[in-house]
Amino acid sequence: MRKSSLRLLGAGLVAALALTACGGSGGGQTDVKVAENPKFPAGSSMAKFTKAKKIKIGIKFDQPGIGYKKPGTDTPTGFDVAMAEIIAGGMGIEPKNIEWVETVSKNREPFLQKGTVDLVLASYSITPERRQVVGQAGPYFVTGQGLLVRKDDKSIKSGTDLKGKKVCSVTGSTSLKQVEEKYGANPAPFGSYSECVTQLKNKSVDAVTTDEAILLGYAAEDSDLAVVGKPFTEERYGIGFKKGDTGMCKYLTDAINKSVKDGDWKKAFDATLGKADVKAPAPPKPDPNCQ
């Protein structure tokens, strides 16, 4: 079975900052670099967070490999978590001083607009519509719709093998519409991706479909599952911030670029999604203008 490829970019730190690896291991499962006495323009959001030494970051709690909070634990894990810790570290904030706020798809924009969170890293695809109401820096991660199957099922290797197959995704998702209209699959909607994975393991469905990054997280947790084929859509994950904050826009963009140069994003990938036996791919370049 062929390994799936995934284009990804992790976020890092501004080039001018002097760093020290004093943050220890965070929820991203890597040693977190925390800047010592970083300097930012007076009155900027970055200066405010640096002075407070804390920040509120919205993240998903139900996506293994991306953002997942195991019941009974205090800190989520995953690639988005690792990125958030690196971004915060550039402002001198240790992982233990990040307040993690569960943020689901429908409240990402409201949370940023109301100040419920300061940043959002929650498999947050960049779109023109979203950029009308919030800022989005990136992409730090480019993925696309993929397929998760049982390793013992050799009949599905790509989307072209889905005709007549029972394919699961969350109720009302565009993913189900895609595989039904494009490949002739029989849609099987359920309330969550975890339910879909259970149905797959029980052989009640033949495949699960959604963003490949999310599927890789499930494959990393269960060696009996695998992601197959190539993505057949494109999703560009960005970092959400309050619209109009040009300083934050530049900081995040510079941070993403520096992490690529330093190799921090690859370390984050290998420690999270890379556990699905997927090689770290070439990173995408962030948009020069993110506001």
Side-chain angles (χ1 to χ4, degrees):
M1 187 172 292
R2 181 176 58 185
K3 294 179 182 178
S4 297
S5 62
L6 178 69
R7 292 171 293 166
L8 171 141
L9 177 63
L13 304 171
V14 175
L17 299 178
L19 302 178
T20 177
C22 63
S25 295
Q29 300 168 309
T30 60
D31 287 335
V32 181
K33 297 176 182 176
V34 179
E36 292 183 334
N37 303 314
K39 303 298 181 184
F40 295 103
S44 67
S45 296
M46 296 79 71
K48 180 185 75 171
F49 299 138
T50 296
K51 182 178 180 180
K53 295 189 179 300
K54 60 183 179 180
I55 191 170
K56 294 183 292 184
I57 298 180
I59 202 154
K60 290 191 175 179
F61 284 5
D62 63 348
Q63 294 181 343
I66 301 292
Y68 181 71
K69 188 172 181 292
K70 187 177 181 179
T73 62
D74 296 326
T75 304
T77 60
F79 187 74
D80 279 359
V81 177
M83 289 173 33
E85 290 172 341
I86 295 169
I87 291 294
M91 293 182 279
I93 303 168
E94 295 190 23
K96 66 181 181 180
N97 292 327
I98 299 172
E99 180 182 343
W100 303 105
V101 180
E102 183 174 14
T103 305
V104 298
S105 296
K106 67 180 179 180
N107 63 22
R108 289 176 295 199
E109 289 87 16
F111 273 16
L112 287 168
Q113 292 171 321
K114 296 176 182 178
T116 305
V117 298
D118 302 307
L119 299 173
V120 165
L121 292 94
S123 54
Y124 196 16
S125 296
I126 297 171
T127 68
E129 294 77 18
R130 286 171 177 159
R131 279 183 167 170
Q132 292 295 314
V133 293
V134 298
Q136 286 186 304
Y140 62 86
F141 191 122
V142 177
T143 184
Q145 187 175 341
L147 296 170
L148 182 71
V149 300
R150 296 181 300 275
K151 279 186 177 179
D152 62 5
D153 183 357
K154 306 299 183 182
S155 67
I156 301 175
K157 296 181 179 179
S158 69
T160 56
D161 299 320
L162 293 179
K163 187 173 182 178
K165 298 288 188 179
K166 201 169 182 180
V167 181
C168 188
S169 195
V170 295
T171 303
S173 72
T174 56
S175 298
L176 285 178
K177 186 177 180 181
Q178 277 277 351
V179 293
E180 182 180 19
E181 294 181 353
K182 190 171 183 177
Y183 297 119
N186 293 327
F190 275 82
S192 69
Y193 297 122
S194 295
E195 289 179 86
C196 282
V197 171
T198 298
Q199 294 297 314
L200 177 65
K201 293 169 69 173
N202 290 341
K203 299 186 178 182
S204 297
V205 301
D206 302 300
V208 177
T209 188
T210 185
D211 290 357
E212 188 180 64
I214 297 170
L215 299 179
L216 285 170
Y218 285 108
E221 287 200 331
D222 193 326
S223 60
D224 292 330
L225 304 177
V227 178
V228 297
K230 294 181 179 180
F232 42 91
T233 65
E234 183 178 81
E235 300 295 334
R236 304 166 69 242
Y237 288 178
I239 304 170
F241 59 96
K242 193 168 185 179
K243 185 171 177 60
D245 192 341
T246 57
M248 180 58 74
C249 171
K250 186 177 187 306
Y251 169 71
L252 294 172
T253 302
D254 289 347
I256 291 170
N257 283 322
K258 186 173 186 296
S259 71
V260 175
K261 182 178 178 180
D262 289 351
D264 288 341
W265 73 266
K266 183 180 183 301
K267 292 177 182 177
F269 181 88
D270 289 344
T272 55
L273 292 173
K275 290 184 177 180
D277 196 24
V278 177
K279 292 182 179 179
K285 293 185 180 297
D287 301 336
N289 298 311
C290 57
Q291 56 189 10

